[in-house]
Amino acid sequence: MPNCTAYAWGRATEILGKTPNLSTGNARDWYSYNKNVGAYDYGATPKIGAIACFDNPYGGHVAVVENIKNGEITFSNSAYGGKNFYLTTASVDDENPGQNGWTFQGYIYLGDFTAESYSLNTYVRVVAESGLNLRRYAGISYDVLNVIPENSQIFITDVYESDGYRWGYTHFGETYGYCVIDYTENL
């Protein structure tokens, strides 16, 4: 990292809960690889959890569809030689969604994830007096990386259920991980 393929492959692992059957080559090869091996459905319509694939002279780009709301797609990205993580948006009507100068190849559909099962891109406020533990993975047995203080505002990009809690993927400072969002309130 930073690297779009490493990020998207890792994000796909989080979404699926297992190792994905995706290309480990350049981003521009992901779409054709998937078509050739028949691992996942694919197409031109954005869907939550899909991998958007682009071609360009520098190896291409892949990004993950995190949300679709009010006619706008939100992508999570990483960029070789750039940022570890950043979000971009595009209109659902954009034939080349958000990537000027790059050729959109299509989406790889990892599964059928609805907005109801994935509450993405939501700001919440910590209401636990003792703060929230930010853990490496979604579960009470994983390492605590940081403690998010009460009244902190955090941005949740994904939601999981584990150990009887709802866990949100977020970051606090430069540390990324999971916290129990049952002790937060929406802003």
Side-chain angles (χ1 to χ4, degrees):
M1 295 286 284
N3 182 310
C4 68
T5 55
Y7 169 76
W9 199 89
R11 184 72 179 103
T13 302
E14 290 176 336
I15 291 169
L16 294 170
K18 63 182 181 179
T19 302
N21 186 6
L22 294 168
S23 172
T24 56
N26 285 328
R28 71 168 153 234
D29 301 328
W30 280 39
Y31 195 73
S32 61
Y33 172 88
N34 182 65
K35 284 176 70 173
N36 290 336
V37 301
Y40 304 101
D41 290 338
Y42 54 89
T45 303
K47 295 181 181 180
I48 292 175
I51 308 291
C53 302
F54 302 89
D55 189 8
N56 71 18
Y58 309 104
H61 184 67
V62 287
V64 180
V65 177
E66 298 291 348
N67 200 9
I68 303 170
K69 187 174 181 180
N70 299 326
E72 185 175 82
I73 309 164
T74 300
F75 300 97
S76 63
N77 305 261
S78 183
Y80 180 76
K83 294 181 179 180
N84 279 343
F85 176 81
Y86 62 97
L87 297 173
T88 56
T89 59
S91 169
V92 294
D93 299 324
D94 190 344
E95 292 181 10
N96 197 35
Q99 302 296 333
N100 293 329
W102 296 2
T103 303
F104 176 65
Q105 297 170 304
Y107 295 99
I108 299 171
Y109 305 127
L110 299 177
D112 184 18
F113 307 103
T114 64
E116 291 77 33
S117 63
Y118 279 76
S119 299
L120 307 173
N121 302 319
T122 303
Y123 281 100
V124 297
R125 185 176 69 84
V126 175
V127 296
E129 288 182 18
S130 59
L132 290 179
N133 289 330
L134 185 65
R135 296 182 182 270
R136 183 173 309 279
Y137 300 106
I140 58 175
S141 63
Y142 293 106
D143 297 340
V144 175
L145 305 173
N146 206 336
V147 176
I148 306 170
E150 182 182 18
N151 292 320
S152 297
Q153 293 181 12
I154 54 176
F155 190 66
I156 303 297
T157 58
D158 216 339
V159 175
Y160 299 89
E161 289 191 25
S162 176
D163 297 333
Y165 296 102
R166 289 181 311 137
W167 296 81
Y169 185 71
T170 189
H171 69 91
F172 186 69
E174 296 295 316
T175 307
Y176 286 80
Y178 300 82
C179 65
V180 175
I181 59 172
D182 296 327
Y183 303 109
T184 66
E185 64 183 14
N186 289 330
L187 295 177

